[in-house]
Amino acid sequence: MIRIAAVGDIHMGPDSQGLLRPAFETLPECADLLLLAGDLTRHGTPEEARVVAREVRDLGVPVVAVLGNHDHHDDRPDEVTAILRDAGAHVLEGQGTVVTSGGARIGVAGTKGFGGGFVGRCAGEFGEPVMKEFVRYSRRCADSLRTSLEQLGEEGCDARIALTHFSPVPDTLAGEPLEIYPFLGSYLLAEAIDTAGADLAVHGHAHAGTEHGMTSGGVRVRNVAQPVIGRAFHVYHLPVRDHVTTGAAAQAAR
């Protein structure tokens, strides 16, 4: 059994140094890796990123992260990424990584993702250039997620996980105002996950949303925004993957 600890939207700043570290230090006892689903900082400043870096350095389990919209606010995502990587975290944007823990090879494909909405109520690639670029950016994020998941599948990982900040499904947004669903996620991410296959999809961003959801292809989706899970992290369990079974048909994460 593979144990996946995950949390997003921790929104750390100088006054929150050390807040999560005591809980994170228990991770080797209960998890094989830690996933961070974006919005790790409040405004995306290097100072805030250094706070996060000190929380996750030398935890004894691999740390894999994506950035969120807050981490882009100060227009220095590359600096934020570099600081987190210096602390040992794998920070992904349109890439995948394979970590080995407990004898299992765990593949994580990550992208921040973007908005656009869901089937029947989504933005289209039509009209003004800025609108077309909005949708094209969402599509590029989704395409990179699909490609990364496919590459991980070719590497024969024991489990594959899609890690995003924006949601791939509307299920995990239940509780948020319907009017803002297009700014909380995109069906394109779910299409990418179902096309490539995955054993679990993890996201954040929707603070008033719901933890449990599923893609139309049967991949379990978990909203791990800290206001939703109400703890430092939540642990999900995955069976060691049958390499001849697609991720969509794998057993459910608990």
Side-chain angles (χ1 to χ4, degrees):
M1 194 66 70
I2 299 170
R3 304 166 301 169
I4 311 295
V7 68
D9 302 83
I10 55 178
H11 294 287
M12 303 204 79
D15 60 341
S16 54
Q17 185 67 67
L19 185 64
L20 294 175
R21 183 72 189 191
F24 283 173
E25 287 179 346
T26 69
L27 283 166
E29 303 166 14
C30 61
D32 297 306
L33 79 161
L34 172 64
L35 302 180
L36 299 175
D39 276 6
L40 312 179
T41 67
R42 294 173 187 166
H43 304 99
T45 67
E47 179 185 20
E48 292 172 343
R50 283 189 282 271
V51 173
V52 180
R54 287 190 286 270
E55 298 291 284
V56 303
R57 187 184 300 275
D58 299 326
L59 288 181
V61 298
V63 178
V64 184
V66 294
L67 300 187
N69 53 301
H70 278 249
D71 305 316
H72 281 256
H73 180 70
D74 202 46
D75 294 328
R76 292 194 275 182
D78 291 343
E79 291 182 53
V80 171
T81 294
I83 290 166
L84 295 176
R85 284 178 175 164
D86 284 347
H90 303 265
V91 184
L92 306 178
E93 181 47 60
Q95 304 141 339
T97 189
V98 179
V99 299
T100 302
S101 184
R105 298 180 72 251
I106 307 162
V108 183
T111 179
K112 174 176 63 64
F114 202 49
F118 302 92
V119 175
R121 295 177 177 83
C122 58
E125 199 173 318
F126 181 86
E128 301 92 329
V130 68
M131 188 63 190
K132 286 185 279 191
E133 178 53 26
F134 181 102
V135 178
R136 286 170 183 166
Y137 178 71
S138 292
R139 191 175 299 281
R140 288 196 297 271
C141 291
D143 287 346
S144 70
L145 182 66
R146 174 184 52 78
T147 299
S148 298
L149 284 168
E150 288 173 345
Q151 291 171 344
L152 292 172
E154 293 170 0
E155 295 186 36
C157 297
D158 295 302
R160 284 184 297 163
I161 302 166
L163 175 62
T164 64
H165 181 61
F166 285 76
S167 177
V169 295
D171 308 18
T172 51
L173 306 183
E176 295 279 5
L178 289 173
E179 293 84 355
I180 68 170
Y181 274 33
F183 305 103
L184 296 177
S186 169
Y187 78 96
L188 295 171
L189 293 170
E191 281 192 350
I193 292 165
D194 283 340
T195 299
D199 299 287
L200 177 66
V202 171
H203 75 89
H205 194 41
H207 292 197
T210 301
E211 183 180 359
H212 296 265
M214 185 181 294
T215 69
S216 60
V219 177
R220 268 57 184 184
V221 181
R222 299 294 180 258
N223 176 2
V224 299
Q226 193 175 51
V228 172
I229 63 174
R231 63 194 75 180
F233 56 84
H234 192 78
V235 178
Y236 303 96
H237 295 82
L238 292 174
V240 174
R241 193 166 184 266
D242 180 349
H243 292 170
V244 299
T245 304
T246 65
Q251 295 182 39
R254 292 201 299 272

